[in-house]
Amino acid sequence: MEGMLMIVLMFAAMYFFMIRPENKKRKAAEAMRSSLAVGDVITTIGGVVGTICAVKENTIVIETGADRVRIEFTKWAVSSKGAETAAQ
């Protein structure tokens, strides 16, 4: 009986410390990606920074740099919204 209680407590702890925070993080990322709009500055998972110039159902088109190069990405490739600069 005590062994069963320990196993249940171990699974409960694993849920609250590992699974639940990961689900919250995933839901927040999905909400951020679904709220993307033209004019937002984003960073992709590959480190490409640009401004959104078109939003489609599953993809976005961003403009990068002063030469106005346009690149199309899937929405899941967006890692963050807003300008991020590396502190040096």
Side-chain angles (χ1 to χ4, degrees):
M1 187 64 152
E2 290 176 15
M4 182 73 97
L5 181 63
M6 289 299 288
I7 291 173
V8 169
L9 288 175
M10 187 170 58
F11 279 114
M14 188 173 77
Y15 174 77
F16 281 107
F17 290 116
M18 294 176 67
I19 298 169
R20 189 167 180 252
E22 186 63 33
N23 286 341
K24 288 175 96 175
K25 190 184 300 184
R26 183 180 46 79
K27 285 182 183 179
E30 287 175 5
M32 181 268 302
R33 289 178 182 131
S34 67
S35 70
L36 294 173
V38 174
D40 289 344
V41 176
I42 57 115
T43 304
T44 67
I45 57 176
V48 178
V49 178
T51 304
I52 297 175
C53 59
V55 178
K56 300 176 184 175
E57 185 176 340
N58 293 322
T59 62
I60 58 168
V61 178
I62 67 169
E63 248 179 31
T64 61
D67 53 357
R68 300 181 62 156
V69 172
R70 291 185 177 200
I71 307 171
E72 186 169 2
F73 288 98
T74 57
K75 284 186 178 180
W76 64 263
V78 177
S79 68
S80 63
K81 185 172 160 182
E84 290 186 4
T85 57
Q88 294 183 7

